[in-house]
Amino acid sequence: MKISVIGCGYLGAVHAATLASMGHTVVGVDVDPGKVEQLARGAAPFHEPGLDELLQDGLATGRLSFATTAAAAKGAQVHFLCVGTPQHKTSDAADLTYLVSAAEALLPHLAAGAVVVGKSTVPVGTVDMLRGLLAARPDVLLGWNPEFLRQGTAVKDSLVPDRLVYGVEGGRTAAFNLRTGAPLGVTAALDAVYEPLLAAGIPRLVCNFATAELIKSAANAYLATKVSFINAMAELCDASGADVAELSEAMGMDPRIGGRYLHAGLGFGGGCLPKDIRSFRSQASALGVAAVDDWMRLVDTVNLGQRGRAVSLAAELCGGNLAGRSLTVLGASFKPDTDDIRDSPALDVADRLAASGAHVTVTDPKAVNHAWRRYPRLRFEASTERALEGAELVLLLTEWDEYRRLSPAIAGGLVRRRVVLDARNVLDAAAWQAEGWLVRGLGTGRTEDQALERALPRA
């Protein structure tokens, strides 16, 4: 099939490259000339494991190309809308400006019988709005196919997804021929797009538009709830002397609960989860569902509160005063295996530490070049070893594998004092303690006063 992908940011670039790898002829369209030029060279404008190789393969076969105008989408049978839907600047609601612009730009180039499919995460009711934009083209079909990509594993998530969801007019009962069971309209088109995945046994769910619009936001709301819940338990553990790692392990053994996303730490960030749960709140409020609005507000509050807790613990580990202390922050990206710094908990904490008078050096395997312009109060260092030199407190704020594997003996020879705040609870505390480190986590119990006194930097 010939397919267009409108919007070549994180979602669109991955989707376009994945579809080309399935054998389709794909054109990716984006209004940013620099981004298009970079993608056309086979280089992703962001760090995502495996994506460069996928891009280069698609370009080499001639099945993948990129352009800056929607006219390049002419003749495509299926058009995917993959533009961003960020949080609105003046409210918690999603900003659909880019989505509307993309649909309007695409409209003159749609062939009769073409299928327009949204993949962006949107509030419920968005399809109704787009239906109005496409009203002049009754010969064009509209569908919704939400994405479920995770940064750092997006290529795998695209090639081997957990499920495929189709939102179609009339829902499941209207998606198939009642006599033969054969798929119709949008369902048939998407089955053709994803034929290799369906043949491999990937489950497919066909539903109405409202359900398809809500699925991604509901899934993210549930994951955010699990993260915030275990972080609230971490605060309770610190207050009581319990250990949240042991608590979550025991909880996770219950098959009704499961252990995934029950890992206490600094909380979530990034360009998706925070804005999605705020948009979810906004939708619930508009629909008069106060319980969801209140619930998501609490989830967001608990999550953001972890950042303040980390700053308070850092001050405690520095004798109650951060002014003039030399601190090293391990991690700048919002999660490992990405260079994305949007709503990064690590950088938020680092900036708060600097605002309290500390001298903060931040290091990260991939995100330093993105971060240094936006955070002038912070010092950035690409080398972990150089970043650690002279540190009075080390804070592990993004759980990159290289920080998990960091040698406590080597690190101990570089710092001024062997004190580490493991805000992601990923270090082997016993191994670090054996090398003379004081290790503090979030929810791992209160620090022994004697150990803290020995480890505190001298004024």
Side-chain angles (χ1 to χ4, degrees):
M1 302 179 73
K2 182 176 180 181
I3 297 172
S4 81
V5 173
I6 312 300
C8 293
Y10 197 91
L11 165 60
V14 174
H15 192 55
T18 301
L19 293 176
S21 76
M22 295 178 187
H24 302 296
T25 299
V26 184
V27 57
V29 178
D30 198 281
V31 295
D32 183 340
K35 185 187 299 180
V36 167
E37 189 274 333
Q38 191 169 346
L39 287 166
R41 288 190 284 106
F46 47 82
H47 175 70
E48 178 60 37
L51 181 55
D52 283 357
E53 293 81 357
L54 210 60
L55 289 167
Q56 291 159 16
D57 180 67
L59 294 166
T61 62
R63 291 193 298 265
L64 180 62
S65 62
F66 294 93
T68 56
T69 63
K74 188 174 181 179
Q77 298 154 279
V78 179
H79 306 265
F80 285 99
L81 301 177
C82 296
V83 297
T85 53
Q87 184 175 331
H88 202 281
K89 292 180 180 178
T90 58
S91 72
D92 286 339
D95 184 352
L96 302 181
T97 303
Y98 302 113
L99 186 65
V100 172
S101 296
E104 290 176 338
L106 183 62
L107 188 58
H109 309 291
L110 295 173
V115 180
V116 177
V117 182
K119 285 197 72 68
S120 307
T121 303
V122 296
V124 66
T126 298
V127 175
D128 291 334
M129 178 268 293
L130 289 178
R131 216 193 256 123
L133 290 177
L134 296 173
R137 294 296 308 272
D139 56 339
V140 171
L141 299 177
L142 184 60
W144 214 261
N145 174 220
E147 58 88 10
F148 301 101
L149 304 186
R150 298 166 296 172
Q151 289 181 247
T153 61
V155 170
K156 175 180 175 294
D157 292 342
S158 293
L159 294 172
V160 192
D162 295 324
R163 74 283 204 195
L164 295 168
V165 175
Y166 304 169
V168 302
E169 183 75 49
R172 187 177 306 175
T173 56
F176 302 94
N177 184 302
L178 295 179
R179 184 174 58 84
T180 66
L184 301 172
V186 173
T187 304
L190 289 175
D191 276 358
V193 170
Y194 294 122
E195 190 278 332
L197 302 182
L198 295 170
I202 302 301
R204 176 196 65 181
L205 172 69
V206 180
C207 57
N208 64 22
F209 285 138
T211 305
E213 290 169 320
L214 281 173
I215 284 173
K216 176 66 183 296
S217 295
N220 277 351
Y222 182 71
L223 296 177
T225 296
K226 289 190 76 172
V227 173
S228 287
F229 173 82
I230 199 62
N231 282 336
M233 294 303 101
E235 187 170 4
L236 185 61
C237 286
D238 276 338
S240 64
D243 189 314
V244 75
E246 296 171 355
L247 180 75
S248 61
E249 182 181 9
M251 288 179 62
M253 290 177 180
D254 187 329
R256 299 169 301 173
I257 298 173
R260 296 191 68 186
Y261 286 82
L262 277 183
H263 186 89
L266 192 54
F268 54 80
C272 292
L273 206 56
K275 65 100 175 173
D276 285 352
I277 66 170
R278 290 164 195 158
S279 173
F280 203 45
R281 274 189 54 211
S282 180
Q283 295 172 62
S285 177
L287 292 169
V289 185
V292 174
D293 183 8
D294 294 343
W295 183 5
M296 288 298 100
R297 188 192 308 274
L298 179 59
V299 166
D300 201 15
T301 299
V302 171
N303 183 63
L304 294 175
Q306 289 298 95
R307 304 177 187 189
R309 289 191 65 218
V311 173
S312 296
L313 283 170
E316 176 187 324
L317 292 169
C318 288
N321 186 10
L322 289 167
R325 301 300 191 188
S326 295
L327 311 183
T328 295
V329 168
L330 303 180
S333 58
F334 85 91
K335 64 179 285 190
D337 295 318
T338 181
D339 57 359
D340 195 341
I341 62 169
R342 290 177 294 175
D343 197 12
S344 166
L347 287 173
D348 187 9
V349 169
D351 200 47
R352 294 189 198 194
L353 294 170
S356 297
H359 304 299
V360 183
T361 299
V362 180
T363 186
D364 188 280
K366 295 292 180 182
V368 166
N369 288 338
H370 290 304
W372 70 269
R373 289 185 182 91
R374 291 183 55 186
Y375 291 88
R377 283 193 292 209
L378 305 177
R379 174 176 175 265
F380 290 91
E381 178 60 69
S383 165
T384 303
E385 289 72 21
R386 286 198 293 271
L388 287 169
E389 291 176 357
E392 298 173 77
L393 172 65
V394 178
L395 300 95
L396 196 164
L397 303 186
T398 309
E399 63 274 33
W400 287 88
D401 278 346
E402 69 177 68
Y403 301 149
R404 293 172 184 260
R405 299 192 303 264
L406 191 64
S407 165
I410 293 175
L414 298 169
V415 299
R416 181 181 170 195
R417 289 290 185 273
R418 299 189 179 196
V419 186
V420 58
L421 172 54
D422 177 14
R424 294 295 182 178
N425 293 333
V426 294
L427 296 179
D428 182 344
W432 283 70
Q433 289 165 351
E435 292 293 336
W437 284 81
L438 172 66
V439 181
R440 180 72 186 265
L442 293 176
T444 57
R446 292 168 290 202
T447 305
E448 294 294 334
D449 292 341
Q450 232 177 8
L452 178 58
E453 187 178 344
R454 289 197 303 271
L456 281 175
R458 297 184 179 88

